[in-house]
Amino acid sequence: MAEQDEFDAARRRLPVGEHVRGQVVRIPRPGTIGLFVDLGQEPLGFVDVLLLPHDPAEWPSVGTVTTFEVLQHRPGQVRLFPVDASFRSNYLPTSLSHEEWLAIKMRFPIGSVVAATVTHVFTRDREYVVRFTGRSSALEWTGQAPRVGTTGRYTITRHLDHTRRVVLTPADQTPIDLDGTSDKRWGRRPGP
């Protein structure tokens, strides 16, 4: 239970999409795994090798202090994305062009509400993925896990320009009842 409390505390302190400063503290097997970042308190941050330059000589060295975007939480770890373009690969989290990303931001302005359906649930990380109007977004959950196939109302809360992601939060506990088979907590269940 203490591990879950620490996990939830890290999520509150370092929400997905936040930019945080950290110091590179360890680079095990350069070019193979990634690097670890001290964020000032537990848990450690981690940058995956796929997000770093292909040549490990271009990676930030141990002791470098720089800015990262919070990508994801895992028990005992915060996954990070380097904000400084010189410390990351040419890899983009999506293949969206700048113009495509601007069009998405205009189509889904902050504060708008969308209907979204749960497509995946990851119990270890307490995350789930929802699909809405041709887009997907990952959300964190506490308490009872959502069920795949349920639909609910979600508010667009942020646009993450570095990783080109749209962040959603549940709009409320009001289910979308399109066919009379409402589920009180997570929305409508598809099917008969």
Side-chain angles (χ1 to χ4, degrees), residues 3-21:
E3 182 179 305
Q4 289 293 63
D5 292 340
E6 291 172 14
F7 191 41
D8 288 337
R11 285 175 159 184
R12 285 188 301 274
R13 192 174 67 255
L14 303 164
V16 168
E18 285 297 303
H19 286 193
V20 297
R21 303 254 324 145

Side-chain angles (χ1 to χ4, degrees), residues 158-181:
R158 288 184 84 172
H159 297 138
L160 305 179
D161 290 323
H162 285 92
T163 54
R164 297 187 177 171
R165 295 185 296 160
V166 176
V167 178
L168 306 178
T169 58
D172 58 27
Q173 295 301 319
T174 305
I176 294 176
D177 190 3
L178 301 176
D179 64 2
T181 57

Side-chain angles (χ1 to χ4, degrees), residues 15-46:
V16 168
E18 285 297 303
H19 286 193
V20 297
R21 303 254 324 145
Q23 181 176 26
V24 176
V25 292
R26 194 173 56 188
I27 305 174
R29 297 175 35 207
T32 308
I33 297 171
L35 55 85
F36 291 90
V37 178
D38 182 347
L39 299 170
Q41 51 186 305
E42 293 294 325
L44 274 179
F46 178 75

Side-chain angles (χ1 to χ4, degrees), residues 73-100:
H73 294 93
R74 291 189 174 172
Q77 187 179 89
V78 178
R79 305 288 277 202
L80 303 170
F81 180 83
V83 171
D84 184 334
S86 67
F87 292 144
R88 63 178 186 247
S89 73
N90 292 331
Y91 164 82
L92 283 176
T94 69
S95 59
L96 296 173
S97 70
H98 179 70
E99 292 74 22
E100 290 169 323

Side-chain angles (χ1 to χ4, degrees), residues 114-119 129-137 151 154 168:
V114 296
T117 301
V118 177
T119 59
V129 176
V130 296
R131 186 96 178 135
F132 63 101
T133 322
R135 305 286 314 147
S136 293
S137 184
T151 299
Y154 295 84
L168 306 178

